[in-house]
Amino acid sequence: MTDRSPQPPSPIAGIDPARLADFARREASRYTAARPKAAQALDQGAQHFLNGVPMHWMRDWPMPHLPLVAKAKGARLTDIDGYGIDDFCLGDTGSMFGHSPDAVATAIRQQARRGLTYMLPTKAALQAGALLTERFGPFKWQIATTATDANRFALRVARAVTGRPKVLVFNGCYHGTLDDTMVELVNDQPANRPGLVGQVQDLTRAATVAEFNDLAGVETLLKQGDIAAILTEPVMTNSCMVLPHAGFHDGLRQLSRQYGALLIIDETHTISTGLGGYTRVHSLSPDMFVVGKCVAGGMPTAVWGMTAEVAERFNAYDATRPPGHSGMGTTLSANPMQFACLAATLAQVMTPENYDHMERGAERLAAGLAKSIRTHGAPWHVVRVGARVEFICAPGPLNNGTEAAAAHQPQVEAAIHTALLNRGTLIAPFHNMMLVSPATKTRQIDRLIAAFDEILTALFA
């Protein structure tokens, strides 16, 4: 006879679904009971914003309602309900060096007395240019406000100097809200990512997609002769993190040269790797380099640079184009406040000593999380890139964007994020990312590890 008895539901990331649902309900109730002031303030004041938030990404936090921050310093937040919070999100990398580093806060106060913007350079601009070259390599630099803008401008230059239309990106990538990169593989073919608001153009006319770590797939696309640039992070981030295979970056460099495409490295998240980012630590040699977020200590700033050879090619192109708008630059970019903060960060915050502290702390954090995962027999793994650590609720390692998407477990992650905040720790809302800053204390790391272990005990007991 066929057994027709009901089958138990499949585990979610190794967790019994009923146990997970019960845990999530308890943690949500605990959070709501603990933060009545934030709830009341939001009820009274959030209606002026679309959907109650000043920037729609804030809706991605998984807790029942947002906390309201009263102040932040170093690696600690304090909310209006009086809770001190160990901050491992750090503005999703924007404050990777801690909230309001002293050198940056001093630079802001001093520059505020001299003016905020005037579309002319300062001595600090010249200092920042020299420091950028010292930290990241001999590129010819330009300043933007966001990494999205920096990537957009870099792609314009790449298309100008190569005369080619397309950018090659990797499936599951993230390079800011840049249209050209909002493509993915569907049945092995490039397609617009679903969910793009108001998207009317076919983005695949100017972009194509390969899987990360697939050099054969990259070469197949490059052979078509229409690729202006390969735009990539050294490590896939803003998803379940994917590390490069041995030889992958050397292969990209060789293929880009062989087929005449420029190689653009976006270090906006992987600046966590060490001094000079992944590019300097691992001796990569891109044609163009982009970094944003924390490069000016939290002041909205991004930088993009090109090698002298690419600069020469661009200048030759620029001399022949008709006069008029270039499609690059924004009025408030390269303002004196950016340069004051950029110079202070590069000279006094982004130091070997601070990176050493971050590396040691992140190593401790990764080891502690991995030990807890092993102890509880969770089918999960931990990945680290310098000061950046992620726990991934699936076996690993992951090889590409398709595997990273499949490893994402929103129900589990949402419950854990709220539970960690209930225990005094904040991690990034979009994935399980944690950063160790120069201000992060060993006791904060140990509190996070202990909270994580307590949560896994509840989920896997």
Side-chain angles (χ1 to χ4, degrees):
M1 289 181 61
T2 302
D3 182 6
R4 298 182 181 276
S5 59
Q7 297 299 309
S10 299
I12 302 172
I15 305 166
D16 174 72
R19 181 186 291 271
L20 175 61
D22 184 59
F23 176 82
R25 283 192 296 269
R26 291 199 313 270
E27 294 299 329
S29 296
R30 176 177 171 180
Y31 178 91
T32 300
R35 287 178 165 83
K37 291 182 180 178
Q40 183 181 18
L42 289 165
D43 285 343
Q44 293 174 349
Q47 73 274 14
H48 302 289
F49 294 110
L50 176 66
N51 297 316
V53 290
M55 201 271 283
H56 70 275
W57 286 354
M58 293 179 183
R59 295 171 64 197
D60 290 342
W61 288 98
M63 62 283 290
H65 63 75
L66 293 172
L68 295 182
V69 177
K71 63 179 180 180
K73 180 62 179 173
R76 290 278 286 177
L77 301 172
T78 303
D79 68 18
I80 67 167
D81 283 280
Y83 290 99
I85 302 163
D86 294 330
D87 188 6
F88 288 85
C89 173
L90 294 170
D92 194 23
T93 310
S95 293
M96 188 182 77
F97 297 111
H99 296 288
S100 299
D102 290 342
V104 176
T106 298
I108 290 171
R109 287 194 297 269
Q110 293 175 345
Q111 184 59 48
R113 292 194 289 266
R114 297 191 292 263
L116 301 181
T117 189
Y118 25 80
M119 212 170 75
L120 288 168
T122 60
K123 283 188 175 181
L126 306 181
Q127 181 188 5
L131 287 166
L132 285 169
T133 296
E134 179 183 328
R135 284 286 179 260
F136 299 115
F139 297 99
K140 301 298 183 182
W141 298 102
Q142 290 283 273
I143 308 300
T145 301
T146 69
T148 296
D149 284 340
N151 281 317
R152 181 182 295 115
F153 304 153
L155 284 182
R156 280 194 174 271
V157 169
R159 288 171 169 140
V161 303
T162 63
R164 298 175 177 180
K166 287 192 174 182
V167 58
L168 189 160
V169 295
F170 291 104
N171 194 36
C173 71
Y174 186 74
H175 299 284
T177 54
L178 174 61
D179 280 4
D180 305 65
T181 64
M182 293 295 181
V183 290
E184 65 179 16
L185 285 175
V186 178
N187 298 322
D188 296 323
Q189 296 298 316
N192 285 15
R193 284 190 172 184
L196 295 174
V197 174
Q199 185 63 48
V200 295
Q201 294 90 0
D202 178 4
L203 300 178
T204 65
R205 296 179 63 185
T208 192
V209 196
E211 288 284 14
F212 198 72
N213 284 319
D214 180 10
L215 289 174
V218 170
E219 184 168 19
T220 296
L221 295 171
L222 289 174
K223 283 180 176 178
Q224 297 177 25
D226 58 355
I227 305 296
I230 301 167
L231 172 58
T232 185
E233 293 183 283
V235 175
M236 285 196 71
T237 67
N238 219 62
S239 62
C240 295
M241 198 154 60
V242 180
L243 300 176
H245 291 171
F248 177 65
H249 284 296
D250 287 342
L252 278 186
R253 176 70 280 186
Q254 292 168 13
L255 288 172
S256 67
R257 287 173 174 158
Q258 180 179 347
Y259 292 98
L262 299 188
L263 179 60
I264 307 173
I265 296 291
D266 179 358
E267 289 259 22
T268 298
H269 285 146
T270 55
I271 193 173
S272 65
T273 306
L275 194 64
Y278 197 101
T279 295
R280 258 297 167 75
V281 171
H282 294 277
S283 300
L284 305 187
S285 54
D287 297 296
M288 306 183 80
F289 179 94
V290 173
V291 65
K293 296 213 183 199
C294 63
V295 73
M299 177 63 62
T301 305
V303 301
W304 60 288
M306 63 195 80
T307 62
E309 189 234 342
V310 174
E312 185 177 351
R313 292 171 66 185
F314 177 67
N315 287 335
Y317 162 86
D318 202 35
T320 62
R321 74 177 178 90
H325 294 292
S326 66
M328 299 190 298
T330 55
T331 303
L332 294 179
S333 293
N335 67 66
M337 186 62 79
Q338 286 179 308
F339 285 122
C341 295
L342 187 58
T345 301
L346 294 169
Q348 300 177 63
V349 181
M350 196 183 291
T351 63
E353 296 77 15
N354 278 343
Y355 267 111
D356 285 346
H357 174 91
M358 294 157 70
E359 177 85 13
R360 290 193 304 273
E363 185 176 17
R364 183 184 186 94
L365 174 59
L369 298 177
K371 180 180 178 182
S372 181
I373 287 169
R374 289 193 304 271
T375 298
H376 294 282
W380 303 0
H381 71 289
V382 174
V383 184
R384 181 171 75 87
V385 177
R388 184 186 184 98
V389 179
E390 292 183 14
F391 63 87
I392 296 172
C393 303
L398 305 175
N399 296 293
N400 54 48
T402 296
E403 292 183 9
H408 186 43
Q409 298 289 345
Q411 289 176 270
V412 177
E413 293 160 8
I416 293 174
H417 289 195
T418 301
L420 284 172
L421 190 51
N422 284 338
R423 290 156 179 81
T425 294
L426 185 73
I427 67 174
F430 310 113
H431 40 87
N432 308 317
M433 189 276 291
M434 296 151 283
L435 285 163
V436 173
S437 79
T440 305
K441 309 297 184 186
T442 299
R443 61 180 177 272
Q444 293 178 287
I445 294 168
D446 291 345
R447 283 197 293 261
L448 170 50
I449 294 168
F452 183 76
D453 189 72
E454 181 182 328
I455 291 165
L456 262 61
T457 298
L459 292 174
F460 287 96

